[in-house]
Amino acid sequence: DSGVTQTPKHLITATGQRVTLRCSPRSGDLSVYWYQQSLDQGLQFLIQYYNGEERAKGNILERFSAQQFPDLHSELNLSSLELGDSALYFCASSPDMAGGNSPLHFGNGTRLTVT
Amino acid sequence: AQKITQTQPGMFVQEKEAVTLDCTYDTSDPSYGLFWYKQPSSGEMIFLIYQGSYDQQNATEGRYSLNFQKARKSANLVISASQLGDSAMYFCAMRGMMDSSYKLIFGSGTRLLVRP
């Protein structure tokens, strides 16, 4: 168990809808990262938050947004969903102490299916 | 820009044999870290091993070792004595220390199948 909790585990919704994915980082970790993994592909970095503030943005669509709350949990909001948004969405956390050899610890992911 | 390349989409290995999964990288960052993750069919991402660019020795963790060749910019994962449970996707990833986000950049992965 990585200590990173993601809910829900599965989500099925229709095109045009909006969903919210939730992530609780490991205790003590200040950084939260969101990644998207489409079918049989590697992980694409979406966005990172550190202690409540956005730190880095990757290939995140304008229809997507995220935030990190004072208790350090994070939410990823996906709106105007399209079929191509179907993917496994991962949250990962790290203590973010000078990077170094600290791995990212991943949650089990939320599998989003857009029909 | 940083880039990770895994050129083997899929590989087979016989149980109890060793297997090498290839990873090459490209970065202009003088200091960086290299990671390997395992993703079983259940979907979770499991951290396996880390190698720092200034580490003198190749990293080892149990049956996993990292064959780090800095001049060639390669960081191959070696799994010794393969087990059926090693069947999974394996991802190589990199972190550049000049990137203040400390995010990981991932390769496209290698699917390993261990044959009994």
Side-chain angles (χ1 to χ4, degrees), chain A residues 1 5 9 18 24 28 33 41-43 53 55-56 77-78 80 86 95 100 106 112 114:
Chain A
D1 184 0
T5 303
K9 198 169 184 177
R18 172 190 170 97
S24 293
Y33 302 76
Q41 296 206 356
L43 281 75
E53 293 190 3
R55 174 173 280 192
N77 301 297
L78 315 176
S80 302
S86 296
F106 284 81
L112 173 66
V114 182

Side-chain angles (χ1 to χ4, degrees), chain A residues 12-100:
Chain A
I12 302 174
T13 190
T15 54
Q17 295 298 304
R18 172 190 170 97
V19 297
T20 297
L21 313 184
R22 183 187 167 100
C23 168
S24 293
R26 289 193 322 162
S27 176
D29 284 357
L30 299 177
S31 261
V32 168
Y33 302 76
W34 286 97
Y35 284 83
Q36 178 193 55
Q37 184 181 31
S38 300
L39 189 64
D40 285 340
Q41 296 206 356
L43 281 75
Q44 300 295 318
F45 170 69
L46 295 178
I47 197 164
Q48 182 216 4
Y49 280 81
Y50 173 74
N51 204 19
E53 293 190 3
E54 181 185 305
R55 174 173 280 192
K57 257 185 178 180
N59 301 322
I60 187 166
L61 300 171
E62 286 193 12
R63 300 183 284 108
F64 296 0
S65 65
Q67 54 184 329
Q68 186 179 28
F69 295 86
D71 66 352
L72 301 178
H73 91 271
S74 178
E75 293 181 356
L76 179 67
N77 301 297
L78 315 176
S79 61
S80 302
L81 285 167
E82 302 175 359
L83 296 178
D85 297 328
S86 296
L88 187 55
Y89 290 85
F90 281 107
C91 168
S93 74
S94 76
D96 200 30
M97 294 172 64

Side-chain angles (χ1 to χ4, degrees), chain A residues 33 35 37 40 42 45 48 55-56 90 96 98-104 106 108, chain B residues 35 37 39 43-45 47 50 91 95 97 100-104 106-108 111:
Chain A
Y33 302 76
Y35 284 83
Q37 184 181 31
D40 285 340
F45 170 69
Q48 182 216 4
R55 174 173 280 192
F90 281 107
D96 200 30
N101 62 353
S102 299
L104 297 189
F106 284 81
N108 287 340
Chain B
F35 301 78
Y37 281 81
Q39 185 179 36
E44 69 269 30
M45 293 288 289
F47 166 68
Y50 164 84
F91 292 97
R95 165 189 288 142
M97 299 313 170
S100 62
S101 74
Y102 304 128
K103 66 181 180 290
L104 295 184
F106 285 83
S108 56
R111 185 175 298 280

